[in-house]
Amino acid sequence: MIPGDKAAIDLYPEALRAEIEASHEWVYPTVNNGVYRSGFASSQGAYEEAVKALFESLDRIEKIFESQQKNNANSKGEYFLIGNHLTESDIRLYTTIVRFDPVYHGHFKCNYRTIRDGYPLIHKWMQNLYWNYPEFKETTNFDHIKTHYYWSHSHINPTRVVPLGPIPNIRPL
């Protein structure tokens, strides 16, 4: 049974559904799937197209977070992709962003910038979710994430060497 306080959370509120769906239209193909399109590209042209679109979208998200932080932060000073509270869009984005520096930056050659050093507002948003929402921290296992990616793609990493960094996996707030 789901506790009442958790069951009451609405991650897909009626008033924000159109905006949530609109974000999925570009975040999924260019960010969530963009890292895979970059990492599994079989030609230089396909890689460059995918990685450029990925970083254009990360730049766009950084600008959205800048606006959200200024104009739509909640009483705790938190900002989110859509509205002023956690929605499905944040959860879908988090799954990619939390893996970005440990895996996608190196393993998938998504290496224009890291999240921690190149996108301060995306990084702060991710830190907030990880450190202030136990559900995120409790379901993010960096050892599993890194081992899975670096062991399962033998055509990208035939030695199965798993990097130790970044250290720490998530910087404290």
Side-chain angles (χ1 to χ4, degrees), residues 109-144:
K109 298 177 276 310
C110 300
N111 58 6
Y112 280 13
R113 289 177 288 291
T114 60
I115 297 299
R116 64 179 54 202
D117 295 319
Y119 293 98
L121 296 175
I122 297 174
H123 185 242
K124 184 178 174 187
W125 165 86
M126 178 187 66
Q127 289 173 292
N128 178 58
L129 294 179
Y130 184 84
W131 292 112
N132 291 327
Y133 290 78
E135 299 81 4
F136 287 89
K137 185 177 181 181
E138 291 168 5
T139 59
T140 303
N141 181 329
F142 287 102
D143 289 335
H144 178 268

PDB file of all heavy atoms in Angstrom, residues 109-144:
ATOM      1  N   LYS A 109      30.763   9.686 -25.095  1.00  0.00           N
ATOM      2  CA  LYS A 109      31.419  10.809 -25.771  1.00  0.00           C
ATOM      3  C   LYS A 109      30.559  12.082 -25.798  1.00  0.00           C
ATOM      4  O   LYS A 109      30.648  12.881 -26.719  1.00  0.00           O
ATOM      5  CB  LYS A 109      31.853  10.401 -27.182  1.00  0.00           C
ATOM      6  CG  LYS A 109      32.870   9.265 -27.202  1.00  0.00           C
ATOM      7  CD  LYS A 109      33.235   8.817 -28.586  1.00  0.00           C
ATOM      8  CE  LYS A 109      32.341   7.846 -29.243  1.00  0.00           C
ATOM      9  NZ  LYS A 109      31.923   6.648 -28.600  1.00  0.00           N
ATOM     10  N   CYS A 110      29.756  12.275 -24.770  1.00  0.00           N
ATOM     11  CA  CYS A 110      28.941  13.489 -24.633  1.00  0.00           C
ATOM     12  C   CYS A 110      29.768  14.483 -23.809  1.00  0.00           C
ATOM     13  O   CYS A 110      29.441  14.797 -22.668  1.00  0.00           O
ATOM     14  CB  CYS A 110      27.616  13.171 -23.950  1.00  0.00           C
ATOM     15  SG  CYS A 110      26.618  11.974 -24.846  1.00  0.00           S
ATOM     16  N   ASN A 111      30.850  14.959 -24.415  1.00  0.00           N
ATOM     17  CA  ASN A 111      31.880  15.592 -23.612  1.00  0.00           C
ATOM     18  C   ASN A 111      32.164  17.057 -23.929  1.00  0.00           C
ATOM     19  O   ASN A 111      33.271  17.526 -23.717  1.00  0.00           O
ATOM     20  CB  ASN A 111      33.168  14.771 -23.687  1.00  0.00           C
ATOM     21  CG  ASN A 111      33.658  14.598 -25.105  1.00  0.00           C
ATOM     22  OD1 ASN A 111      33.120  15.157 -26.038  1.00  0.00           O
ATOM     23  ND2 ASN A 111      34.709  13.810 -25.261  1.00  0.00           N
ATOM     24  N   TYR A 112      31.174  17.789 -24.398  1.00  0.00           N
ATOM     25  CA  TYR A 112      31.369  19.246 -24.490  1.00  0.00           C
ATOM     26  C   TYR A 112      31.642  19.805 -23.093  1.00  0.00           C
ATOM     27  O   TYR A 112      32.549  20.598 -22.908  1.00  0.00           O
ATOM     28  CB  TYR A 112      30.110  19.944 -24.997  1.00  0.00           C
ATOM     29  CG  TYR A 112      29.839  19.930 -26.476  1.00  0.00           C
ATOM     30  CD1 TYR A 112      30.511  19.113 -27.370  1.00  0.00           C
ATOM     31  CD2 TYR A 112      28.853  20.774 -26.979  1.00  0.00           C
ATOM     32  CE1 TYR A 112      30.205  19.129 -28.717  1.00  0.00           C
ATOM     33  CE2 TYR A 112      28.554  20.796 -28.319  1.00  0.00           C
ATOM     34  CZ  TYR A 112      29.222  19.978 -29.192  1.00  0.00           C
ATOM     35  OH  TYR A 112      28.912  20.005 -30.517  1.00  0.00           O
ATOM     36  N   ARG A 113      30.781  19.429 -22.169  1.00  0.00           N
ATOM     37  CA  ARG A 113      30.859  19.895 -20.782  1.00  0.00           C
ATOM     38  C   ARG A 113      30.290  18.814 -19.883  1.00  0.00           C
ATOM     39  O   ARG A 113      29.498  17.994 -20.316  1.00  0.00           O
ATOM     40  CB  ARG A 113      30.001  21.167 -20.579  1.00  0.00           C
ATOM     41  CG  ARG A 113      30.556  22.413 -21.221  1.00  0.00           C
ATOM     42  CD  ARG A 113      29.626  23.610 -21.059  1.00  0.00           C
ATOM     43  NE  ARG A 113      28.412  23.591 -21.861  1.00  0.00           N
ATOM     44  CZ  ARG A 113      28.357  23.715 -23.180  1.00  0.00           C
ATOM     45  NH1 ARG A 113      29.459  23.830 -23.885  1.00  0.00           N
ATOM     46  NH2 ARG A 113      27.212  23.720 -23.821  1.00  0.00           N
ATOM     47  N   THR A 114      30.655  18.872 -18.604  1.00  0.00           N
ATOM     48  CA  THR A 114      29.985  18.041 -17.613  1.00  0.00           C
ATOM     49  C   THR A 114      28.808  18.837 -17.065  1.00  0.00           C
ATOM     50  O   THR A 114      28.740  20.061 -17.228  1.00  0.00           O
ATOM     51  CB  THR A 114      30.931  17.673 -16.444  1.00  0.00           C
ATOM     52  OG1 THR A 114      31.364  18.874 -15.807  1.00  0.00           O
ATOM     53  CG2 THR A 114      32.115  16.858 -16.921  1.00  0.00           C
ATOM     54  N   ILE A 115      27.910  18.150 -16.397  1.00  0.00           N
ATOM     55  CA  ILE A 115      26.800  18.848 -15.739  1.00  0.00           C
ATOM     56  C   ILE A 115      27.344  19.649 -14.562  1.00  0.00           C
ATOM     57  O   ILE A 115      27.026  20.828 -14.395  1.00  0.00           O
ATOM     58  CB  ILE A 115      25.706  17.857 -15.279  1.00  0.00           C
ATOM     59  CG1 ILE A 115      25.087  17.133 -16.487  1.00  0.00           C
ATOM     60  CG2 ILE A 115      24.641  18.575 -14.443  1.00  0.00           C
ATOM     61  CD1 ILE A 115      24.395  17.997 -17.517  1.00  0.00           C
ATOM     62  N   ARG A 116      28.187  19.054 -13.752  1.00  0.00           N
ATOM     63  CA  ARG A 116      28.662  19.701 -12.521  1.00  0.00           C
ATOM     64  C   ARG A 116      29.463  20.956 -12.790  1.00  0.00           C
ATOM     65  O   ARG A 116      29.436  21.871 -11.970  1.00  0.00           O
ATOM     66  CB  ARG A 116      29.433  18.725 -11.640  1.00  0.00           C
ATOM     67  CG  ARG A 116      30.714  18.195 -12.227  1.00  0.00           C
ATOM     68  CD  ARG A 116      31.454  17.251 -11.292  1.00  0.00           C
ATOM     69  NE  ARG A 116      30.606  16.177 -10.858  1.00  0.00           N
ATOM     70  CZ  ARG A 116      30.793  15.463  -9.769  1.00  0.00           C
ATOM     71  NH1 ARG A 116      31.844  15.666  -9.014  1.00  0.00           N
ATOM     72  NH2 ARG A 116      29.970  14.506  -9.441  1.00  0.00           N
ATOM     73  N   ASP A 117      30.189  21.023 -13.873  1.00  0.00           N
ATOM     74  CA  ASP A 117      31.029  22.189 -14.128  1.00  0.00           C
ATOM     75  C   ASP A 117      30.536  23.077 -15.271  1.00  0.00           C
ATOM     76  O   ASP A 117      31.010  24.202 -15.402  1.00  0.00           O
ATOM     77  CB  ASP A 117      32.466  21.742 -14.409  1.00  0.00           C
ATOM     78  CG  ASP A 117      33.111  21.099 -13.198  1.00  0.00           C
ATOM     79  OD1 ASP A 117      32.917  21.613 -12.080  1.00  0.00           O
ATOM     80  OD2 ASP A 117      33.795  20.071 -13.365  1.00  0.00           O
ATOM     81  N   GLY A 118      29.618  22.584 -16.059  1.00  0.00           N
ATOM     82  CA  GLY A 118      29.181  23.361 -17.207  1.00  0.00           C
ATOM     83  C   GLY A 118      27.761  23.884 -17.147  1.00  0.00           C
ATOM     84  O   GLY A 118      27.386  24.764 -17.925  1.00  0.00           O
ATOM     85  N   TYR A 119      26.965  23.347 -16.223  1.00  0.00           N
ATOM     86  CA  TYR A 119      25.551  23.720 -16.122  1.00  0.00           C
ATOM     87  C   TYR A 119      25.186  23.912 -14.654  1.00  0.00           C
ATOM     88  O   TYR A 119      24.609  23.024 -14.025  1.00  0.00           O
ATOM     89  CB  TYR A 119      24.674  22.638 -16.763  1.00  0.00           C
ATOM     90  CG  TYR A 119      24.862  22.549 -18.253  1.00  0.00           C
ATOM     91  CD1 TYR A 119      25.707  21.603 -18.825  1.00  0.00           C
ATOM     92  CD2 TYR A 119      24.223  23.450 -19.096  1.00  0.00           C
ATOM     93  CE1 TYR A 119      25.895  21.544 -20.194  1.00  0.00           C
ATOM     94  CE2 TYR A 119      24.406  23.395 -20.470  1.00  0.00           C
ATOM     95  CZ  TYR A 119      25.236  22.442 -21.014  1.00  0.00           C
ATOM     96  OH  TYR A 119      25.425  22.397 -22.378  1.00  0.00           O
ATOM     97  N   PRO A 120      25.502  25.066 -14.087  1.00  0.00           N
ATOM     98  CA  PRO A 120      25.300  25.247 -12.643  1.00  0.00           C
ATOM     99  C   PRO A 120      23.858  25.097 -12.171  1.00  0.00           C
ATOM    100  O   PRO A 120      23.622  24.566 -11.082  1.00  0.00           O
ATOM    101  CB  PRO A 120      25.831  26.654 -12.370  1.00  0.00           C
ATOM    102  CG  PRO A 120      25.934  27.316 -13.705  1.00  0.00           C
ATOM    103  CD  PRO A 120      26.094  26.238 -14.720  1.00  0.00           C
ATOM    104  N   LEU A 121      22.892  25.508 -12.962  1.00  0.00           N
ATOM    105  CA  LEU A 121      21.499  25.405 -12.514  1.00  0.00           C
ATOM    106  C   LEU A 121      20.954  23.988 -12.680  1.00  0.00           C
ATOM    107  O   LEU A 121      20.192  23.515 -11.829  1.00  0.00           O
ATOM    108  CB  LEU A 121      20.619  26.424 -13.224  1.00  0.00           C
ATOM    109  CG  LEU A 121      20.995  27.880 -12.911  1.00  0.00           C
ATOM    110  CD1 LEU A 121      20.170  28.843 -13.746  1.00  0.00           C
ATOM    111  CD2 LEU A 121      20.841  28.177 -11.433  1.00  0.00           C
ATOM    112  N   ILE A 122      21.333  23.308 -13.745  1.00  0.00           N
ATOM    113  CA  ILE A 122      20.945  21.897 -13.879  1.00  0.00           C
ATOM    114  C   ILE A 122      21.586  21.108 -12.748  1.00  0.00           C
ATOM    115  O   ILE A 122      20.939  20.259 -12.126  1.00  0.00           O
ATOM    116  CB  ILE A 122      21.346  21.319 -15.253  1.00  0.00           C
ATOM    117  CG1 ILE A 122      20.607  22.049 -16.388  1.00  0.00           C
ATOM    118  CG2 ILE A 122      21.073  19.814 -15.307  1.00  0.00           C
ATOM    119  CD1 ILE A 122      21.067  21.636 -17.790  1.00  0.00           C
ATOM    120  N   HIS A 123      22.842  21.394 -12.468  1.00  0.00           N
ATOM    121  CA  HIS A 123      23.542  20.691 -11.399  1.00  0.00           C
ATOM    122  C   HIS A 123      22.874  20.932 -10.053  1.00  0.00           C
ATOM    123  O   HIS A 123      22.628  19.984  -9.291  1.00  0.00           O
ATOM    124  CB  HIS A 123      25.014  21.123 -11.366  1.00  0.00           C
ATOM    125  CG  HIS A 123      25.818  20.363 -10.371  1.00  0.00           C
ATOM    126  ND1 HIS A 123      26.441  20.968  -9.316  1.00  0.00           N
ATOM    127  CD2 HIS A 123      26.087  19.036 -10.259  1.00  0.00           C
ATOM    128  CE1 HIS A 123      27.068  20.050  -8.599  1.00  0.00           C
ATOM    129  NE2 HIS A 123      26.863  18.876  -9.144  1.00  0.00           N
ATOM    130  N   LYS A 124      22.531  22.173  -9.751  1.00  0.00           N
ATOM    131  CA  LYS A 124      21.870  22.478  -8.474  1.00  0.00           C
ATOM    132  C   LYS A 124      20.501  21.791  -8.389  1.00  0.00           C
ATOM    133  O   LYS A 124      20.117  21.275  -7.340  1.00  0.00           O
ATOM    134  CB  LYS A 124      21.719  23.990  -8.304  1.00  0.00           C
ATOM    135  CG  LYS A 124      21.124  24.385  -6.972  1.00  0.00           C
ATOM    136  CD  LYS A 124      21.028  25.893  -6.830  1.00  0.00           C
ATOM    137  CE  LYS A 124      20.302  26.259  -5.546  1.00  0.00           C
ATOM    138  NZ  LYS A 124      20.052  27.694  -5.467  1.00  0.00           N
ATOM    139  N   TRP A 125      19.759  21.782  -9.489  1.00  0.00           N
ATOM    140  CA  TRP A 125      18.459  21.098  -9.548  1.00  0.00           C
ATOM    141  C   TRP A 125      18.636  19.617  -9.226  1.00  0.00           C
ATOM    142  O   TRP A 125      17.900  19.043  -8.428  1.00  0.00           O
ATOM    143  CB  TRP A 125      17.846  21.316 -10.928  1.00  0.00           C
ATOM    144  CG  TRP A 125      16.711  20.431 -11.292  1.00  0.00           C
ATOM    145  CD1 TRP A 125      15.386  20.618 -11.009  1.00  0.00           C
ATOM    146  CD2 TRP A 125      16.784  19.213 -12.046  1.00  0.00           C
ATOM    147  NE1 TRP A 125      14.641  19.593 -11.531  1.00  0.00           N
ATOM    148  CE2 TRP A 125      15.479  18.723 -12.173  1.00  0.00           C
ATOM    149  CE3 TRP A 125      17.828  18.499 -12.624  1.00  0.00           C
ATOM    150  CZ2 TRP A 125      15.191  17.541 -12.856  1.00  0.00           C
ATOM    151  CZ3 TRP A 125      17.548  17.326 -13.305  1.00  0.00           C
ATOM    152  CH2 TRP A 125      16.236  16.867 -13.412  1.00  0.00           C
ATOM    153  N   MET A 126      19.649  18.973  -9.860  1.00  0.00           N
ATOM    154  CA  MET A 126      19.908  17.551  -9.618  1.00  0.00           C
ATOM    155  C   MET A 126      20.316  17.313  -8.164  1.00  0.00           C
ATOM    156  O   MET A 126      19.829  16.374  -7.527  1.00  0.00           O
ATOM    157  CB  MET A 126      21.003  17.040 -10.549  1.00  0.00           C
ATOM    158  CG  MET A 126      21.364  15.584 -10.327  1.00  0.00           C
ATOM    159  SD  MET A 126      22.795  15.043 -11.282  1.00  0.00           S
ATOM    160  CE  MET A 126      24.097  16.024 -10.547  1.00  0.00           C
ATOM    161  N   GLN A 127      21.188  18.159  -7.639  1.00  0.00           N
ATOM    162  CA  GLN A 127      21.605  18.030  -6.235  1.00  0.00           C
ATOM    163  C   GLN A 127      20.402  18.141  -5.306  1.00  0.00           C
ATOM    164  O   GLN A 127      20.279  17.388  -4.344  1.00  0.00           O
ATOM    165  CB  GLN A 127      22.593  19.133  -5.859  1.00  0.00           C
ATOM    166  CG  GLN A 127      23.969  19.002  -6.467  1.00  0.00           C
ATOM    167  CD  GLN A 127      24.781  20.237  -6.140  1.00  0.00           C
ATOM    168  OE1 GLN A 127      24.487  21.326  -6.617  1.00  0.00           O
ATOM    169  NE2 GLN A 127      25.799  20.058  -5.309  1.00  0.00           N
ATOM    170  N   ASN A 128      19.523  19.102  -5.586  1.00  0.00           N
ATOM    171  CA  ASN A 128      18.336  19.287  -4.754  1.00  0.00           C
ATOM    172  C   ASN A 128      17.478  18.022  -4.742  1.00  0.00           C
ATOM    173  O   ASN A 128      17.055  17.571  -3.679  1.00  0.00           O
ATOM    174  CB  ASN A 128      17.510  20.478  -5.238  1.00  0.00           C
ATOM    175  CG  ASN A 128      16.260  20.663  -4.416  1.00  0.00           C
ATOM    176  OD1 ASN A 128      16.315  20.828  -3.203  1.00  0.00           O
ATOM    177  ND2 ASN A 128      15.115  20.595  -5.077  1.00  0.00           N
ATOM    178  N   LEU A 129      17.239  17.449  -5.909  1.00  0.00           N
ATOM    179  CA  LEU A 129      16.426  16.234  -5.960  1.00  0.00           C
ATOM    180  C   LEU A 129      17.115  15.094  -5.211  1.00  0.00           C
ATOM    181  O   LEU A 129      16.480  14.388  -4.432  1.00  0.00           O
ATOM    182  CB  LEU A 129      16.141  15.827  -7.408  1.00  0.00           C
ATOM    183  CG  LEU A 129      15.273  16.787  -8.221  1.00  0.00           C
ATOM    184  CD1 LEU A 129      15.099  16.247  -9.642  1.00  0.00           C
ATOM    185  CD2 LEU A 129      13.943  17.041  -7.559  1.00  0.00           C
ATOM    186  N   TYR A 130      18.396  14.929  -5.427  1.00  0.00           N
ATOM    187  CA  TYR A 130      19.128  13.819  -4.811  1.00  0.00           C
ATOM    188  C   TYR A 130      19.212  13.962  -3.291  1.00  0.00           C
ATOM    189  O   TYR A 130      18.973  13.004  -2.557  1.00  0.00           O
ATOM    190  CB  TYR A 130      20.535  13.739  -5.416  1.00  0.00           C
ATOM    191  CG  TYR A 130      21.342  12.575  -4.912  1.00  0.00           C
ATOM    192  CD1 TYR A 130      21.197  11.318  -5.490  1.00  0.00           C
ATOM    193  CD2 TYR A 130      22.251  12.726  -3.869  1.00  0.00           C
ATOM    194  CE1 TYR A 130      21.946  10.235  -5.033  1.00  0.00           C
ATOM    195  CE2 TYR A 130      23.002  11.655  -3.404  1.00  0.00           C
ATOM    196  CZ  TYR A 130      22.843  10.415  -3.994  1.00  0.00           C
ATOM    197  OH  TYR A 130      23.576   9.350  -3.537  1.00  0.00           O
ATOM    198  N   TRP A 131      19.557  15.136  -2.797  1.00  0.00           N
ATOM    199  CA  TRP A 131      19.791  15.324  -1.368  1.00  0.00           C
ATOM    200  C   TRP A 131      18.539  15.635  -0.567  1.00  0.00           C
ATOM    201  O   TRP A 131      18.486  15.349   0.631  1.00  0.00           O
ATOM    202  CB  TRP A 131      20.836  16.420  -1.123  1.00  0.00           C
ATOM    203  CG  TRP A 131      22.200  16.012  -1.587  1.00  0.00           C
ATOM    204  CD1 TRP A 131      22.893  16.546  -2.640  1.00  0.00           C
ATOM    205  CD2 TRP A 131      23.046  14.998  -1.046  1.00  0.00           C
ATOM    206  NE1 TRP A 131      24.108  15.908  -2.780  1.00  0.00           N
ATOM    207  CE2 TRP A 131      24.231  14.962  -1.806  1.00  0.00           C
ATOM    208  CE3 TRP A 131      22.916  14.116   0.024  1.00  0.00           C
ATOM    209  CZ2 TRP A 131      25.275  14.082  -1.541  1.00  0.00           C
ATOM    210  CZ3 TRP A 131      23.958  13.235   0.294  1.00  0.00           C
ATOM    211  CH2 TRP A 131      25.111  13.223  -0.477  1.00  0.00           C
ATOM    212  N   ASN A 132      17.524  16.228  -1.180  1.00  0.00           N
ATOM    213  CA  ASN A 132      16.345  16.660  -0.428  1.00  0.00           C
ATOM    214  C   ASN A 132      15.096  15.813  -0.646  1.00  0.00           C
ATOM    215  O   ASN A 132      14.097  16.018   0.039  1.00  0.00           O
ATOM    216  CB  ASN A 132      16.027  18.128  -0.729  1.00  0.00           C
ATOM    217  CG  ASN A 132      17.086  19.045  -0.159  1.00  0.00           C
ATOM    218  OD1 ASN A 132      17.668  18.770   0.879  1.00  0.00           O
ATOM    219  ND2 ASN A 132      17.338  20.145  -0.853  1.00  0.00           N
ATOM    220  N   TYR A 133      15.141  14.907  -1.586  1.00  0.00           N
ATOM    221  CA  TYR A 133      14.018  14.006  -1.851  1.00  0.00           C
ATOM    222  C   TYR A 133      14.554  12.580  -1.721  1.00  0.00           C
ATOM    223  O   TYR A 133      15.187  12.065  -2.657  1.00  0.00           O
ATOM    224  CB  TYR A 133      13.432  14.243  -3.248  1.00  0.00           C
ATOM    225  CG  TYR A 133      12.705  15.557  -3.383  1.00  0.00           C
ATOM    226  CD1 TYR A 133      13.406  16.753  -3.549  1.00  0.00           C
ATOM    227  CD2 TYR A 133      11.317  15.605  -3.342  1.00  0.00           C
ATOM    228  CE1 TYR A 133      12.739  17.962  -3.671  1.00  0.00           C
ATOM    229  CE2 TYR A 133      10.649  16.816  -3.475  1.00  0.00           C
ATOM    230  CZ  TYR A 133      11.362  17.982  -3.628  1.00  0.00           C
ATOM    231  OH  TYR A 133      10.708  19.185  -3.754  1.00  0.00           O
ATOM    232  N   PRO A 134      14.340  11.934  -0.590  1.00  0.00           N
ATOM    233  CA  PRO A 134      14.942  10.610  -0.347  1.00  0.00           C
ATOM    234  C   PRO A 134      14.653   9.591  -1.448  1.00  0.00           C
ATOM    235  O   PRO A 134      15.478   8.713  -1.707  1.00  0.00           O
ATOM    236  CB  PRO A 134      14.328  10.165   0.978  1.00  0.00           C
ATOM    237  CG  PRO A 134      13.716  11.358   1.586  1.00  0.00           C
ATOM    238  CD  PRO A 134      13.503  12.381   0.510  1.00  0.00           C
ATOM    239  N   GLU A 135      13.522   9.721  -2.098  1.00  0.00           N
ATOM    240  CA  GLU A 135      13.169   8.767  -3.150  1.00  0.00           C
ATOM    241  C   GLU A 135      14.202   8.769  -4.275  1.00  0.00           C
ATOM    242  O   GLU A 135      14.431   7.738  -4.919  1.00  0.00           O
ATOM    243  CB  GLU A 135      11.775   9.076  -3.711  1.00  0.00           C
ATOM    244  CG  GLU A 135      10.665   8.978  -2.694  1.00  0.00           C
ATOM    245  CD  GLU A 135      10.509  10.210  -1.797  1.00  0.00           C
ATOM    246  OE1 GLU A 135      11.217  11.223  -1.976  1.00  0.00           O
ATOM    247  OE2 GLU A 135       9.646  10.167  -0.896  1.00  0.00           O
ATOM    248  N   PHE A 136      14.810   9.903  -4.548  1.00  0.00           N
ATOM    249  CA  PHE A 136      15.819   9.976  -5.605  1.00  0.00           C
ATOM    250  C   PHE A 136      17.124   9.331  -5.144  1.00  0.00           C
ATOM    251  O   PHE A 136      17.694   8.501  -5.849  1.00  0.00           O
ATOM    252  CB  PHE A 136      16.041  11.428  -6.042  1.00  0.00           C
ATOM    253  CG  PHE A 136      14.906  11.973  -6.858  1.00  0.00           C
ATOM    254  CD1 PHE A 136      13.831  12.589  -6.244  1.00  0.00           C
ATOM    255  CD2 PHE A 136      14.909  11.856  -8.232  1.00  0.00           C
ATOM    256  CE1 PHE A 136      12.773  13.072  -6.989  1.00  0.00           C
ATOM    257  CE2 PHE A 136      13.855  12.340  -8.993  1.00  0.00           C
ATOM    258  CZ  PHE A 136      12.785  12.951  -8.371  1.00  0.00           C
ATOM    259  N   LYS A 137      17.586   9.699  -3.976  1.00  0.00           N
ATOM    260  CA  LYS A 137      18.850   9.149  -3.466  1.00  0.00           C
ATOM    261  C   LYS A 137      18.745   7.632  -3.270  1.00  0.00           C
ATOM    262  O   LYS A 137      19.662   6.886  -3.632  1.00  0.00           O
ATOM    263  CB  LYS A 137      19.229   9.825  -2.157  1.00  0.00           C
ATOM    264  CG  LYS A 137      20.578   9.396  -1.635  1.00  0.00           C
ATOM    265  CD  LYS A 137      20.958  10.153  -0.376  1.00  0.00           C
ATOM    266  CE  LYS A 137      22.324   9.735   0.110  1.00  0.00           C
ATOM    267  NZ  LYS A 137      22.706  10.433   1.326  1.00  0.00           N
ATOM    268  N   GLU A 138      17.632   7.182  -2.717  1.00  0.00           N
ATOM    269  CA  GLU A 138      17.458   5.758  -2.414  1.00  0.00           C
ATOM    270  C   GLU A 138      17.361   4.885  -3.662  1.00  0.00           C
ATOM    271  O   GLU A 138      17.567   3.673  -3.587  1.00  0.00           O
ATOM    272  CB  GLU A 138      16.225   5.563  -1.533  1.00  0.00           C
ATOM    273  CG  GLU A 138      16.402   6.127  -0.135  1.00  0.00           C
ATOM    274  CD  GLU A 138      15.113   6.214   0.664  1.00  0.00           C
ATOM    275  OE1 GLU A 138      14.050   5.747   0.173  1.00  0.00           O
ATOM    276  OE2 GLU A 138      15.161   6.779   1.772  1.00  0.00           O
ATOM    277  N   THR A 139      17.043   5.481  -4.792  1.00  0.00           N
ATOM    278  CA  THR A 139      16.907   4.695  -6.020  1.00  0.00           C
ATOM    279  C   THR A 139      18.017   4.986  -7.035  1.00  0.00           C
ATOM    280  O   THR A 139      17.919   4.562  -8.181  1.00  0.00           O
ATOM    281  CB  THR A 139      15.533   4.932  -6.676  1.00  0.00           C
ATOM    282  OG1 THR A 139      15.392   6.324  -6.972  1.00  0.00           O
ATOM    283  CG2 THR A 139      14.412   4.458  -5.768  1.00  0.00           C
ATOM    284  N   THR A 140      19.054   5.694  -6.604  1.00  0.00           N
ATOM    285  CA  THR A 140      20.196   5.987  -7.477  1.00  0.00           C
ATOM    286  C   THR A 140      21.405   5.237  -6.931  1.00  0.00           C
ATOM    287  O   THR A 140      21.940   5.592  -5.890  1.00  0.00           O
ATOM    288  CB  THR A 140      20.474   7.505  -7.522  1.00  0.00           C
ATOM    289  OG1 THR A 140      19.297   8.196  -7.962  1.00  0.00           O
ATOM    290  CG2 THR A 140      21.617   7.814  -8.471  1.00  0.00           C
ATOM    291  N   ASN A 141      21.818   4.214  -7.644  1.00  0.00           N
ATOM    292  CA  ASN A 141      22.939   3.379  -7.223  1.00  0.00           C
ATOM    293  C   ASN A 141      24.067   3.560  -8.238  1.00  0.00           C
ATOM    294  O   ASN A 141      24.067   2.957  -9.312  1.00  0.00           O
ATOM    295  CB  ASN A 141      22.499   1.920  -7.150  1.00  0.00           C
ATOM    296  CG  ASN A 141      23.598   1.004  -6.698  1.00  0.00           C
ATOM    297  OD1 ASN A 141      24.773   1.226  -6.949  1.00  0.00           O
ATOM    298  ND2 ASN A 141      23.213  -0.081  -6.031  1.00  0.00           N
ATOM    299  N   PHE A 142      25.038   4.396  -7.889  1.00  0.00           N
ATOM    300  CA  PHE A 142      26.093   4.732  -8.833  1.00  0.00           C
ATOM    301  C   PHE A 142      26.976   3.550  -9.202  1.00  0.00           C
ATOM    302  O   PHE A 142      27.420   3.451 -10.348  1.00  0.00           O
ATOM    303  CB  PHE A 142      26.927   5.909  -8.311  1.00  0.00           C
ATOM    304  CG  PHE A 142      26.197   7.201  -8.386  1.00  0.00           C
ATOM    305  CD1 PHE A 142      25.624   7.741  -7.252  1.00  0.00           C
ATOM    306  CD2 PHE A 142      26.060   7.872  -9.587  1.00  0.00           C
ATOM    307  CE1 PHE A 142      24.932   8.936  -7.317  1.00  0.00           C
ATOM    308  CE2 PHE A 142      25.374   9.059  -9.669  1.00  0.00           C
ATOM    309  CZ  PHE A 142      24.801   9.597  -8.530  1.00  0.00           C
ATOM    310  N   ASP A 143      27.244   2.659  -8.275  1.00  0.00           N
ATOM    311  CA  ASP A 143      28.038   1.477  -8.612  1.00  0.00           C
ATOM    312  C   ASP A 143      27.328   0.640  -9.670  1.00  0.00           C
ATOM    313  O   ASP A 143      27.944   0.186 -10.639  1.00  0.00           O
ATOM    314  CB  ASP A 143      28.311   0.620  -7.368  1.00  0.00           C
ATOM    315  CG  ASP A 143      29.285   1.283  -6.412  1.00  0.00           C
ATOM    316  OD1 ASP A 143      30.093   2.125  -6.858  1.00  0.00           O
ATOM    317  OD2 ASP A 143      29.232   0.965  -5.207  1.00  0.00           O
ATOM    318  N   HIS A 144      26.040   0.468  -9.504  1.00  0.00           N
ATOM    319  CA  HIS A 144      25.267  -0.292 -10.496  1.00  0.00           C
ATOM    320  C   HIS A 144      25.226   0.436 -11.828  1.00  0.00           C
ATOM    321  O   HIS A 144      25.410  -0.173 -12.893  1.00  0.00           O
ATOM    322  CB  HIS A 144      23.844  -0.544  -9.990  1.00  0.00           C
ATOM    323  CG  HIS A 144      23.009  -1.267 -10.985  1.00  0.00           C
ATOM    324  ND1 HIS A 144      22.210  -0.617 -11.904  1.00  0.00           N
ATOM    325  CD2 HIS A 144      22.871  -2.590 -11.239  1.00  0.00           C
ATOM    326  CE1 HIS A 144      21.615  -1.507 -12.668  1.00  0.00           C
ATOM    327  NE2 HIS A 144      21.995  -2.707 -12.289  1.00  0.00           N
TER     328      HIS A 144
END
